[in-house]
Amino acid sequence: MSPASFLISEEIISPLKRKAHLKRLSTGMAKRLRLDPSAVQEDLTITMYYERTQALIPDDRKQLHVHIPFADEIERIQNKLLSLEAQLEIIQKRKLKMLCANALIELARLAAKKYKSELVGDASTTRLQQFAASVTDAQLRDLEVPPKFWTLLRNIQKIIEARNQQAHETAGEFAQLLLDMQFKEGHVFNLWKDIFPLVYGATVEEIAAREKETDDMVFGLV
């Protein structure tokens, strides 16, 4: 097998895909791979190449080294994936906040059904929030509500406010996106960061930190 054929063989392609975290490596990309040191015309087989280069390679270097000329491209793709994952996380957290709040409302209604029946048909959550804030340990224990939900239930007003706020106020999401690696070092961040103190009364970093605090409260992390 010639050095060129060896470079596009499965013996090389499979480990390279694992190390570079690539699902596929096209033939065109594989043909750009180069051995280090470079093969010469006299290296008719990979064995001949290996034998010739042993004198050029330090004793502790037992394996063939392959140079990946598109390493920068791989790094760019990986950074893009990390950025997309961060953006997806923001979107998922916004949806999760809404779903967590809705579940707590249903839990509060379940408790109200037994201890505050006049609230059952009330479409507004205002009085329900007041009831949830004052529900006792004994009542929750009687309903077999796990203790891990007690504090969340009593904080339902703040959680509902966070849910409602995200539907109308976008400062937190705006700040988190600007701090994403895709934007933070570029023109978009430099252009828009200075509007935060003017419009929102705080820096991008401060607004993003507040959003994280809200997330942690809703998700029971504090």
Side-chain angles (χ1 to χ4, degrees), residues 71-87 180-183:
D72 291 343
E73 182 178 351
I74 292 174
E75 184 178 2
R76 181 186 63 79
I77 293 172
Q78 290 175 334
N79 288 337
K80 181 66 174 179
L81 287 174
L82 290 173
S83 178
L84 290 173
E85 288 174 357
Q87 293 178 45
D180 179 77
M181 61 185 298
Q182 179 180 194
F183 303 113

Side-chain angles (χ1 to χ4, degrees), residues 36 47 50-51 55 63 66 78 93 106 111 121 130 132 138 144 147 158 199 213:
D36 178 26
T47 301
Y50 185 76
E51 291 174 350
Q63 297 179 329
V66 177
Q78 290 175 334
K93 280 185 175 180
E106 293 305 314
Q130 295 171 348
E144 298 183 351
K158 292 181 180 179
V199 177
E213 287 177 4

